[in-house]
């Protein structure tokens, strides 16, 4: 009897949006950041000499994934880096207007909570579920 083995059958990583789709997704996400996330989670920048404080929220593509990122600044004398980025949510492009939605855990892993959502549904989930909120 032949023994089974692992075989690569491909993944969704090869699914990439066309340039037109990518620009529509980027525009929708940037509008969402400006209209919803920034006023809610970053109403004003409060510098602190003791702790890290958020200074911006933005998005960025990495392959077929669009990540939502918070930029932090630390003005303290013991800071290793004056500024750093912390991702908090990720949309993974699966197919036309279908995305998997993940959040960034404190362990550095991405945990997918929802699969095959439309862009509108995914942005609503980011807005309403605390796991996807910037930290």
């Amino acid at each position: 009897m032949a023994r089974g083995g692992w075989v690569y059958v491909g993944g969704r990583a090869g699914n990439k949006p066309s340039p037109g789709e990518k620009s529509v997704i980027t525009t929708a996400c940037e509008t969402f950041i400006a209209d919803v996330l920034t006023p809610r989670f970053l109403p004003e920048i409060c510098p602190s000499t003791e702790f890290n404080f958020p200074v911006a929220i933005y998005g960025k593509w990495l392959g077929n994934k669009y990540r939502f990122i918070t930029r932090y600044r630390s003005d303290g004398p013991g800071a290793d880096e004056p500024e750093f980025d912390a991702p908090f949510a990720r949309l993974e492009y699966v197919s036309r207007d279908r995305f998997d939605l993940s959040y960034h855990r404190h362990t550095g892993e991405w945990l997918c909570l929802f699969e095959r959502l439309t862009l509108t549904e995914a942005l609503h989930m980011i807005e309403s579920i605390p796991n996807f909120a910037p930290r």
Side-chain angles (χ1 to χ4, degrees):
M1 180 172 205
R3 191 152 209 198
W6 291 99
V7 178
Y8 178 75
V9 293
R12 291 185 261 183
N15 296 342
K16 292 189 179 176
S18 67
E21 281 182 293
K22 196 171 187 176
S23 67
V24 168
I25 295 165
T26 303
T27 303
C29 290
E30 286 176 356
T31 303
F32 176 72
I33 290 169
D35 294 346
V36 176
L37 295 180
T38 300
R40 185 172 170 191
F41 296 105
L42 197 63
E44 63 182 62
I45 297 173
C46 300
S48 170
T49 56
E50 295 180 46
F51 305 108
N52 303 325
F53 57 95
V55 293
I57 297 174
Y58 67 98
K60 185 164 109 174
W61 282 96
L62 182 64
N64 66 332
K65 300 167 184 78
Y66 187 86
R67 299 179 301 153
F68 293 87
I69 302 168
T70 305
R71 182 115 181 126
Y72 287 92
R73 181 176 296 143
S74 179
D75 292 335
D80 292 336
E81 293 287 328
E83 290 190 354
F84 63 93
D85 295 334
F88 59 91
R90 179 177 78 181
L91 293 173
E92 181 178 351
Y93 181 84
V94 177
S95 64
R96 185 170 182 79
D97 198 32
R98 294 292 169 197
F99 300 88
D100 289 350
L101 181 58
S102 305
Y103 77 96
H104 196 253
R105 297 188 65 215
H106 66 283
T107 59
E109 305 175 277
W110 288 98
L111 183 64
C112 182
L113 291 185
F114 299 100
E115 294 182 346
R116 302 199 187 293
L117 298 174
T118 65
L119 182 59
T120 306
E121 293 169 337
L123 295 179
H124 176 71
M125 294 294 181
I126 292 171
E127 180 180 4
S128 60
I129 296 179
N131 288 2
F132 300 109
R135 292 179 181 82

